[in-house]
Amino acid sequence: MPGNGSLLSRLRLVLTVFFALDGFVFAGWVVRIPDIKQQTHASAGALGLALLGVSAGAVVTMTLTGRLCRRYGSHRVTVVCAVLLSLSVALPPLTHSALALGLVLLAFGAAYGSINVAFNSAAVDLVAALRRPIMPSFHAAFSLGGMVGAGLGGLVAGVLTPTEHLSCLTLVGLLVTALAAPTLLRHEPPRRPDPGPSPGARSRADGRNRRLVVVFGLIALCTAYGEGAMADWGALHLRQDLGTSAGVAAAGYSCFALAMTLGRLTGTTLLERLGRTRTVVVGGTTAALGMLAGSLAPSPWAALAGYAVTGLGLANLFPVAVERAGALAGPGGVATASTLGYGGMLLGPPAIGFMAEWLSLSAALTSVAVLAGIAALIGFAVRDAAPG
């Protein structure tokens, strides 16, 4: 692909649209979970197992998607997965049992995980072609799409049934895909030049790169652990431990998510000024301090401030980790880092729950600070192996 600035700008816009669509569709599904729980007559435990289908479907298909991207190109796979995601989001309200819900969520999760690998792989190629650290801007679009999807979902929840609402998401998803897909389908992802080392040197480099990909995947895991924990337990800590109203408790995750979105919107500027290593170290350290305040603060307002600082600190760790993994090993690197990241999101909520039973919820939430600190240490440890 020639280094056409106008074409690269169009590719950036289209990929941003797909990131935003992903967040929009996923958030629209999440706000209807209570209605679908009632429809399926599922107990809390049965619903929890059914919801694991999303993460399980994502994790199982991520590695396969990396291979498909290498074979068919990340642009084509992104378009196909966007269609599958848009279609599968309409399935949950058609179920009437927890088992059926779990099965359709496996399909939805597979599409959701696959598109994340595909468009992150495409974004990694575009970052290399533009030679600017713009990865956080794509993840900011995902966050903004999620906020819009959740907000609109809340507004229409009293007017539309879950079937009507999620069917509308299908139509929106297919329409957006139809408008955005031609740009991706007409153009191959930008290709990085191959320096062509000797076979022995290439083999050693591949082995080193595989190890580094796992290291960056661990940073993604530490970050996603915090995101999952905040989503599931942040509000309960405010309500249960600090005695806030339901409204203030609900604002807890909003503070975290808004701060994370703002952090990602300014992420490119931050990366250009600090570089990737210092961004990870400073971000992880900031998140660790923020979560210590958020979990141990004696007042609700101090806890909310801590949540916001945590969101700012974690904002750019996952984008940097995925971008570095993709730069080292292509779509397979993105798939490995994303799979480890989802592992962290799976691990976080139940781990917090077990620790809360043994200790207390506030003490359990300090594990988010511990893992954020570990992410900072990992970033510092690989500063020479992965400069930037």
Side-chain angles (χ1 to χ4, degrees), residues 270 274 276-288 312-313 317 376:
L270 187 67
L274 298 182
R276 295 178 180 87
T277 296
R278 280 188 287 179
T279 296
V280 170
V281 172
V282 171
T285 303
T286 300
L312 283 173
L317 270 61

Side-chain angles (χ1 to χ4, degrees), residues 204-230:
R204 290 191 296 273
D206 287 345
R208 170 180 171 275
N209 287 348
R210 281 194 292 271
R211 291 190 293 272
L212 281 174
V213 163
V214 173
V215 169
F216 285 115
L218 292 176
I219 293 177
L221 184 153
C222 292
T223 305
Y225 177 98
E227 290 187 54
M230 289 299 299

Side-chain angles (χ1 to χ4, degrees), residues 31 33 56 78 98 109 112 121-122 139 183 221 260-261 284 345 366:
V31 298
I33 290 176
T78 295
Y112 178 70
S121 297
H139 289 260
T183 300
L221 184 153
M260 177 169 277
T261 301
M345 196 165 284
T366 62

Side-chain angles (χ1 to χ4, degrees), residues 260-277:
M260 177 169 277
T261 301
L262 292 174
R264 287 175 170 174
L265 286 171
T266 58
T268 296
T269 300
L270 187 67
L271 284 165
E272 287 176 334
R273 292 185 177 181
L274 298 182
R276 295 178 180 87
T277 296

Side-chain angles (χ1 to χ4, degrees), residues 2 73 79 102 111 129 143-144 167 170 173 187 194 214 220 235 240 264 278 294 298 300 328 355 369 376-377:
V79 173
S143 298
L144 286 171
S167 295
T170 294
H187 303 287
D194 184 0
V214 173
Q240 172 184 293
R264 287 175 170 174
R278 280 188 287 179
L328 289 166
M355 286 187 283
L377 290 174

